Amino acid sequence: MPKISSDTLWELASAEVQSREDGTGAEEDGGVDPVSLNERTVFFIGNKAGGKTTILLRCLDRDEPPKPTLALEYTFGRRARGHNTPKDIAHLWELGGGTSLSDLVQIPITAQNVRSLSVVLVLDLSKPNALWGTMERLLQTTRTQVEKACSKPQRTVESKAGSKQQAQNRSPRVLPKDHPDRELINPFPVPLLIIGSKFDIFQDFDSEKRKVICKTLRFISHYYAASLIFTSSKSESLMSKTKSLFTQLGFGTEKGKSMSSDLSKPLIIPAGMDSLSQIGSPPTSDVDIGTLHAKNPLDLWKKVFEVVFPPENTSEHHRELKDPAKDPQYSEPQIDSMRAQKDTELDQYKRNVSKSWKGLELET
């Protein structure tokens, strides 16, 4: 007969938090931390207006119109594994604004969830000139935060040996020891899925341009040990295959066997299923590689890609959007009108103060 306690709900909650911080609790009795088994975090990043929200809603089977993402948004999905079993939970974060708000990655990526974290990078195939810059900036910022989170000491049950082993098992070890590319790639520290969106527009591109984009994304995905898929919200078949890859990350389902590396069709290449020999060298029909000074293979592919698709000058755009209140997609007419009025009053106040200081005769 369990002892009946008169503790209040608040006291019980406080005790639970304390037990987790002390590293005690469910695991003391030989049990397994349910959070580590049933909960995962998936972080969506990518081009602004690149289709992240649409893809996320379709993967969750939510029939609702997508809305512009306001800075950083959170939702979740649940999936039953079987009868009378706890449901798996996927915590889903989406970063809006493209690269302009990349500093916000520190919110969804923490020491507490990094061992169960996956990243989905959505790249807009219809805007190839922004593709490399978006990919490079977001992956660099995300990797830095992941490594920072991994280096932080754990004060919870996650610091125990079993949890450390699970964290190691989550590393993207997708290449066997005898794979010829094993020493030539730089796997992303957490599982990574790269989605090329708006394939319906991309398929009408010139064949040579499509070839450059396809081969480049194959190289990038293989270099980071990521999975790659091209999709379109207008294709149920492609969205179904995209959802399959998403559920692997969000709910731990078995890996699918679909694969397509035909450059004339939507690419579907699971992590570890490609190779540098199959990808080939950078497409350089209009580029003399001898004139390019590259530090490494990734830098070489970047230089070749940017010859064909010169990067956009986004520095001024980033400065303008550093403050989301100035982004037209978040406009609120009544609030914006009041803000403009207050800004005008503030400017007037500054001018009056300036005049009053100029009129003062300071004693010498």
Side-chain angles (χ1 to χ4, degrees), residues 5-15:
S5 172
S6 60
D7 289 345
T8 65
L9 183 60
W10 177 258
E11 290 169 336
L12 291 171
S14 178

Side-chain angles (χ1 to χ4, degrees), residues 34-70:
V35 174
S36 66
L37 287 180
N38 300 330
E39 298 187 21
R40 290 177 170 83
T41 300
V42 183
F43 184 31
F44 280 75
I45 56 179
N47 292 93
K48 179 180 177 180
K52 299 184 296 295
T53 305
T54 298
I55 292 171
L56 180 55
L57 292 175
R58 295 285 287 275
C59 287
L60 294 175
D61 294 324
R62 294 183 183 174
D63 185 17
E64 56 186 82
K67 299 178 181 178
T69 301
L70 179 60

Side-chain angles (χ1 to χ4, degrees), residues 22-25 27-28 154 156-165:
D22 295 339
T24 60
E27 292 189 352
E28 269 188 347
Q154 301 284 320
T156 67
V157 293
E158 297 174 9
S159 62
K160 295 198 171 184
S163 293
K164 285 184 178 179
Q165 182 62 44

Side-chain angles (χ1 to χ4, degrees), residues 55 108 150 204 236 261:
I55 292 171
C150 288
D204 294 329
E236 288 298 330
S261 57

